[in-house]
Amino acid sequence: MASPAERYTAARRRSHHPALRAFAEGYDFPFDEFQQQACEALEDGHGVLLAAPTGAGKTIVGEFAAHLALGNGGKCFYTTPIKALSNQKYHDLVLRHGAANVGLLTGDNAVNGDAPVVVMTTEVLRNMLYAQSPALRGLAYVVMDEVHYLADRFRGAVWEEVILHLPDRVTLVSLSATVSNAEEFGDWLQEVRGDTTVIVEELRPVPLWQEVLVGRRLYDLFVDDAQESVNPALTRLAGEEARFARVNLEQRPPRGGRRPPRSRVDVPSRPEVVETLDRAGLLPAIVFVFSRNGCDAAVRQCLRSGLRLAEPPERRRIRDVLDERVVNIPDEDLAVLGFGDFSDALQRGIASHHAGMLPIFKEIVEQLFSEGLVKVVFATETLALGINMPARSVVLESLVKWNGEAHVDLSPGEYTQLTGRAGRRGIDVEGHGVVLWTPGFDPKHVAGLASTRTYPLRSSFRPSYNMAVNLVDSLGRHDARELLEQSFAQFQADRAVVGLARQLRRNEEALDGYRESMHCHLGNFEEYAGLRRALKDREASLAREGAAQRRAAAAQSLERLHVGDVIRVPAGRRPGLAVVIDPHGGGSAGDPHPVVLTGERQVKRLSVVDFPTPVETLTRVRLPKGFNPRSPQSRRDLAATVRNLGLEAAAGRPKRDRSAAADDTEIARLRAAIRQHPCHGCADREEHARWAERHDRLRRDTDQLERRVESRTNTIARMFDRVCSMLESLGYLTGDAVTPAGRTLARIYSEADLVIAEALRTGMWDDLDAAELASVCSALVYEARRDDDPTPRLPSGRVRTALTDLSRLWASLKSAERDAHLDFLREPDAGFAWAAWRWARGEPLDQVLLDTGQAPGDFVRWMKQLIDLLDQIVDAAAPESSVGKTARIAVVAVRRGVVAYSGVT
């Protein structure tokens, strides 16, 4: 029961925040303190940055912004990073405020766009700001959900563009995952947006237990609530496992026999993992597999095992949802898409979830899992990116994932993001993050991932070509430059510069003191020290040159050796006399590795490292016929002969060693100048010289610091200048004026923006029909998942010619980028051109998928991105050009069948 003081405080809060009181009455649970604080700050007129763990309930604050907008007669835009999350948030807000008050704009969907509350992807809002859309009138609040996406190196700049461009009257609500530098991000928001309240919540509303599944037994990862002490039982198991592995490694299986098992722990099958979780009461669960094929294989394994997790009433509800959601999809397409197996698995309470699935299938899985009807989902990490699908437990099959280029370890931030799905607020008392024990498991490594809760937010902002022309058009070049200097990227760089500048000031003060300490009454000691330094540098340079020449000469001398040559090895582990028994030793030209027998009867492979000077042959011996270096007797006899002959030959050879410095005229000049300098006769010369050396070292450090400061100061603005210079040279800008070509570029929001603008300006695509245009444009959105994808099949005729021209255009622009020290444009990828051409021609789904090998989800995703680009071309193309009309026809041709099925329902 609350104390009188707590009841009094609560009453004061309610009286001061009537809107929040009315809003809270619509929820059947009390708000947490951080939610209360954030909503109060919002009602008081402050902007808000809320950083809290996944599943903590941050979106309550975003929903309160929508409540305030509706109550005040204003508008609220709720932005999300991905379309799936936008669709989900749209449904949530419709349930709370009614369909008439809520709209959706994602590029794929446009529903009630003039509503007072509109959910949209962040890119849509950015485009509205540049276009100065009438929809911005009356905008009072903008919610930026998952604002930590601004660290994304491909799309992160969009978030900063929106934050910098929003009118001052708009109150910004920023919702972020827990990041370690939330205060720094809040300081930047305070600087660019004005009054901003920063609230950081690190506690999860549902506690998370970290566990390890060893065989079919669950172990706690930690033995203390502070999550500092690793369970000694796991440490002991890891030690036993390591010893077992070593013994196995030493055991050779008998010929034709079976190798011993790799692990003493029986790794359970996927159905066994699910059964273990079910017995422990840990379903529903998400099992992260990190492989699309692995997810689908896991579902098949569960089906083959006869696993059933859904009760009869749940199965009936699942069938009803399936019938309702796929009613518009023809049976023949459902058969192609594997709907039978998909439906069977769902009715057993089992599903997979990954980017290769048809979007509407993923939406069905999300709906049924949220309703508690699906008990286990095998998913790739994409499920963790924003979609609201909490579970009682999360299982990680592995701590290694494929990042598109290599297999890499999960980072602490990724581990936290994935396991953060465990624990449903209002349903579960606790969540469970479970890691599977596999051979080589290291409990301490997992403990390190689990105990690192936060990660820093780093800006990825940089001014693109499209951004540059839009900024110049709306602000002019000077003001645009100043705006970019307000970016979070520059803010972070400047903060680093502050520390460097402070160190620079300390260095300059120390340099003044060093100069005073090396002052000489006889003359300018800095000048004298400079002569000594020049002499030292010249001697070192000659020494380096001499060493390089000696190494080259040594390598050449090794290449000239023959079998039987007796040499002296001057360095290495076994110096002394040796005879060459294999002059090549497997080495290549320029990298010789002769094999020798030493006087100590050791067979050794030599290299250039063993010879600081060229090797000379002292004498030569004939190796006995049938000499066997593996025979101790053969080695003993030959070594004795080498010692006798080699010592005699070496005794008569004089040593030759004359320094190159002795004949160098520059060294002679410097030595004379040093002797003639007045300071050379100073009694305190060496004391002054020590201060001069300190001054010289600190001067070099200070120069390096200055270069670092220069590289970080105005970095974004300097990049903007380079972008503008390149655009000016290509005719998109003329000073502060945007040319007609520049206005075309301003309407193209793509990584390939400049390539597309150039293609439109030159009329490269004017003669293509709709299917051909779709095929060529697909190369500007598609990106193969792996570099080793097979050579793509291409349509013949005009498509092939246009793709060749496109590659030449990209190469030309890439060359211009290199000259301008820029790197924006990705090379076109024709890997989807055949599929796009066939689909736009109207061919059936089964033939296109079978012939191209595309997964349905990938196929739909690339088609939707292609539609988005074609829509931009419709908008950007000159009214008199044919390409705009062709693009409009292509959009209709592509948006059919499965490409049109998924959306808001």
Side-chain angles (χ1 to χ4, degrees):
M1 184 175 177
S3 67
E6 289 172 334
R7 290 199 298 272
Y8 173 74
T9 301
R12 279 184 56 84
R13 273 184 161 178
R14 287 194 296 272
S15 65
H16 282 79
H17 299 96
L20 177 55
R21 184 176 70 249
F23 174 69
E25 288 172 354
Y27 291 83
D28 56 5
F29 58 85
F31 290 170
D32 290 337
E33 181 62 24
F34 75 90
Q35 294 168 323
Q36 188 84 20
Q37 289 177 2
C39 290
E40 288 174 358
L42 204 52
E43 188 169 354
D44 290 340
H46 307 296
V48 171
L49 166 62
L50 173 58
T54 299
K58 297 184 290 289
T59 56
I60 287 289
V61 184
E63 291 174 7
F64 182 54
H67 175 84
L68 288 174
L70 289 169
N72 299 330
K75 287 184 178 180
C76 174
F77 287 171
Y78 196 113
T79 73
T80 74
I82 54 178
K83 295 172 183 177
L85 187 55
S86 293
N87 294 341
Q88 193 174 71
K89 202 69 228 172
Y90 168 76
H91 284 297
D92 293 344
L93 289 170
V94 164
L95 287 174
R96 185 155 300 278
H97 301 295
N101 288 320
V102 183
L104 176 69
L105 296 172
T106 65
D108 286 349
N109 296 295
V111 179
N112 200 17
D114 294 326
V117 176
V118 183
V119 183
M120 61 185 67
T121 52
T122 317
E123 283 87 351
V124 169
L125 178 54
R126 185 270 312 271
N127 299 354
M128 291 170 69
L129 288 166
Y130 279 141
Q132 298 180 341
S133 169
L136 296 169
R137 289 197 204 98
L139 182 61
Y141 297 91
V142 165
V143 180
M144 302 196 79
D145 203 352
E146 309 283 351
V147 74
H148 53 273
Y149 261 75
L150 66 79
D152 184 273
R153 66 191 183 104
F154 296 113
R155 299 170 55 212
V158 175
W159 275 258
E160 289 188 54
E161 285 181 84
V162 168
I163 292 170
L164 291 172
H165 281 290
L166 277 175
D168 292 339
R169 70 174 188 277
V170 177
T171 300
L172 185 66
V173 181
S174 303
L175 308 178
S176 172
T178 309
V179 292
S180 54
N181 61 334
E183 289 80 6
E184 179 188 41
F185 185 50
D187 289 346
W188 174 67
L189 288 173
Q190 180 85 25
E191 191 169 290
V192 298
R193 300 296 312 166
D195 188 15
T196 301
T197 299
V198 179
I199 298 170
V200 178
E201 175 59 46
E202 296 182 350
L203 292 176
R204 287 172 48 92
V206 179
L208 179 65
W209 290 94
Q210 305 283 348
E211 291 160 296
V212 180
L213 181 58
V214 185
R216 298 196 185 189
R217 180 180 172 185
L218 283 165
Y219 287 81
D220 289 331
L221 176 59
F222 299 103
V223 292
D224 61 332
D225 292 341
Q227 296 195 348
E228 294 176 353
S229 302
V230 177
N231 190 335
L234 291 175
T235 306
R236 185 173 60 254
L237 276 170
E240 293 172 358
E241 179 87 350
R243 287 191 294 274
F244 184 79
R246 281 197 299 274
V247 171
N248 275 355
L249 194 63
E250 293 165 2
Q251 292 179 352
R252 292 178 178 271
R255 187 180 300 275
R258 294 183 61 187
R259 186 172 293 278
R262 292 176 59 209
S263 171
R264 65 188 298 275
V265 176
D266 180 28
V267 178
S269 67
R270 285 157 173 160
E272 289 170 340
V273 169
V274 176
E275 289 171 346
T276 301
L277 295 174
D278 193 16
R279 285 195 304 272
L282 297 185
L283 297 182
I286 299 170
V287 181
F288 285 108
V289 179
F290 302 132
S291 159
R292 298 176 177 190
N293 291 336
C295 292
D296 294 337
V299 172
R300 290 194 297 271
Q301 291 159 15
C302 290
L303 292 179
R304 284 198 300 269
S305 73
L307 194 62
R308 289 184 182 274
L309 303 173
E311 298 298 326
E314 294 173 320
R315 289 201 289 273
R316 285 194 293 273
R317 169 62 182 155
I318 291 169
R319 283 195 296 270
D320 290 343
V321 170
L322 285 168
D323 291 343
E324 176 188 334
R325 296 300 300 271
V326 303
V327 65
N328 294 320
I329 304 180
D331 290 342
E332 58 270 23
D333 282 357
L334 288 176
V336 172
L337 298 168
F339 180 73
D341 290 341
F342 174 71
S343 172
D344 184 20
L346 284 176
Q347 291 178 61
R348 294 174 184 236
I350 304 163
S352 60
H353 188 289
H354 56 75
M357 292 171 62
L358 195 69
I360 196 168
F361 284 13
K362 286 196 294 180
E363 293 167 15
I364 291 169
V365 172
E366 292 160 15
Q367 178 184 344
L368 294 175
F369 192 81
S370 299
E371 291 184 22
L373 299 170
V374 168
K375 312 299 182 180
V376 61
V377 172
F378 296 93
T380 57
E381 64 181 310
T382 52
L383 185 146
L385 301 177
I387 298 172
N388 183 27
M389 277 181 62
R392 180 166 294 166
S393 65
V394 163
V395 181
L396 302 184
E397 275 199 351
S398 171
L399 298 176
V400 176
K401 67 166 189 172
W402 175 260
N403 69 356
E405 298 174 356
H407 286 95
V408 296
D409 292 336
L410 284 183
S411 69
E414 289 167 332
Y415 183 94
T416 301
Q417 182 84 3
L418 295 169
T419 56
R421 292 279 162 204
R424 296 166 297 174
R425 184 169 186 157
I427 301 175
D428 299 318
V429 176
E430 60 196 26
H432 297 260
V434 181
V435 181
L436 252 59
W437 181 287
T438 54
F441 189 89
D442 182 0
K444 291 183 179 177
H445 173 64
V446 183
L449 292 174
S451 58
T452 305
R453 293 292 181 209
T454 59
Y455 48 95
L457 184 60
R458 294 281 176 254
S459 172
S460 60
F461 183 84
R462 57 182 191 162
S464 66
Y465 301 115
N466 167 276
M467 188 194 304
V469 291
N470 274 300
L471 285 173
V472 172
D473 193 35
S474 57
L475 299 173
R477 206 141 152 183
H478 178 266
D479 289 350
R481 200 178 193 275
E482 288 194 342
L483 180 74
L484 291 175
E485 289 189 325
Q486 297 176 41
S487 66
F488 187 44
Q490 190 60 58
F491 183 83
Q492 289 188 309
D494 289 345
R495 284 211 161 182
V497 165
V498 169
L500 295 175
R502 190 179 299 117
Q503 183 62 46
L504 268 177
R505 285 195 297 273
R506 288 198 293 264
N507 285 8
E508 292 294 350
E509 291 170 2
L511 287 169
D512 290 341
Y514 291 170
R515 276 192 291 271
E516 186 176 336
S517 297
M518 70 180 178
H519 175 73
C520 180
H521 66 290
L522 295 178
N524 185 338
F525 202 87
E526 281 193 63
E527 182 181 78
Y528 177 71
L531 290 170
R532 289 176 58 142
R533 185 166 59 252
L535 175 62
K536 183 178 178 181
D537 290 346
R538 179 62 180 170
E539 289 174 339
S541 175
L542 287 176
R544 285 193 299 272
E545 290 175 7
Q549 291 170 357
R550 286 193 296 274
R551 280 195 299 273
Q556 292 173 359
S557 69
L558 290 181
E559 290 176 9
R560 292 193 293 268
L561 291 176
H562 298 86
V563 173
D565 284 351
V566 178
I567 61 175
R568 179 176 295 280
V569 182
R573 291 176 57 191
R574 297 186 184 89
L577 293 171
V579 60
V580 178
I581 58 178
D582 181 354
H584 304 297
S588 59
D591 185 29
H593 291 281
V595 178
V596 301
L597 176 71
T598 70
E600 303 301 320
R601 304 193 299 276
Q602 300 290 325
V603 175
K604 180 184 178 186
R605 186 189 300 272
L606 303 178
S607 71
V608 176
V609 176
D610 297 305
F611 296 92
T613 58
V615 64
E616 294 186 45
T617 300
L618 303 176
T619 185
R620 182 168 294 161
V621 300
R622 182 182 297 277
L623 265 64
K625 188 175 181 180
F627 171 74
N628 182 2
R630 295 184 178 180
S631 165
Q633 184 62 47
S634 295
R635 292 200 306 270
R636 188 181 301 114
D637 293 345
L638 183 59
T641 302
V642 168
R643 284 197 299 272
N644 294 334
L645 291 175
L647 289 172
E648 294 174 7
R653 290 181 179 268
K655 290 188 176 181
R656 295 172 296 178
D657 185 17
R658 178 175 175 83
S659 170
D663 301 322
D664 187 72
T665 56
E666 177 63 10
I667 284 183
R669 185 191 70 76
L670 288 169
R671 285 173 175 166
I674 288 170
R675 288 193 297 269
Q676 294 166 10
H677 197 281
C679 292
H680 192 63
C682 178
D684 297 323
R685 181 185 70 196
E686 294 310 310
E687 176 68 16
H688 293 161
R690 281 191 287 274
W691 285 108
E693 287 174 4
R694 292 171 188 167
H695 179 277
D696 188 45
R697 283 196 299 271
L698 187 59
R699 181 72 267 169
R700 286 197 298 270
D701 291 345
T702 303
D703 290 344
Q704 187 176 10
L705 268 179
E706 286 177 341
R707 287 192 293 272
R708 288 174 64 190
V709 168
E710 174 63 23
S711 70
R712 297 188 183 196
T713 303
N714 302 322
T715 50
I716 303 298
R718 287 205 306 272
M719 183 182 288
F720 174 70
D721 290 341
R722 295 199 300 273
V723 169
C724 288
S725 294
M726 180 164 165
L727 291 175
E728 201 158 16
S729 69
L730 292 170
Y732 290 90
L733 293 175
T734 304
D736 266 10
V738 177
T739 65
R743 297 197 181 283
T744 297
L745 176 59
R747 292 192 287 272
I748 299 169
Y749 302 95
S750 163
E751 283 185 74
D753 51 7
L754 192 56
V755 177
I756 298 163
E758 282 287 280
L760 293 176
R761 183 168 72 164
T762 58
M764 184 182 292
W765 300 332
D766 286 357
D767 295 331
L768 300 177
D769 66 25
E772 292 166 342
L773 180 62
S775 180
V776 174
C777 286
S778 73
L780 297 168
V781 297
Y782 178 75
E783 189 171 4
R785 294 183 66 217
R786 296 176 184 268
D787 292 336
D788 58 354
D789 278 5
T791 303
R793 183 176 179 181
L794 300 177
S796 58
R798 288 185 299 193
V799 172
R800 195 178 293 263
T801 301
L803 285 169
T804 302
D805 292 342
L806 185 65
S807 292
R808 289 198 187 107
L809 172 60
W810 170 82
S812 173
L813 291 173
K814 200 66 186 174
S815 176
E817 276 195 329
R818 281 193 292 270
D819 293 342
H821 304 289
L822 297 170
D823 183 18
F824 288 100
L825 300 174
R826 179 177 59 81
E827 185 174 4
D829 188 332
F832 197 62
W834 178 249
W837 179 70
R838 294 191 65 190
W839 182 253
R841 281 164 50 92
E843 297 191 24
L845 177 67
D846 58 343
Q847 292 183 21
V848 176
L849 291 184
L850 181 65
D851 200 29
T852 61
Q854 284 280 335
D858 291 333
F859 176 79
V860 172
R861 186 173 73 257
W862 294 123
M863 283 299 178
K864 291 201 170 192
Q865 290 190 29
L866 175 57
I867 289 170
D868 185 49
L869 176 56
L870 291 169
D871 275 333
Q872 291 181 39
I873 291 173
V874 171
D875 184 48
E880 68 278 3
S881 72
S882 62
V883 71
K885 298 172 185 174
T886 306
R888 187 176 286 108
I889 297 169
V891 168
V892 175
V894 173
R895 189 184 278 132
R896 66 179 179 88
V898 290
V899 178
Y901 295 152
S902 295
V904 180
T905 57

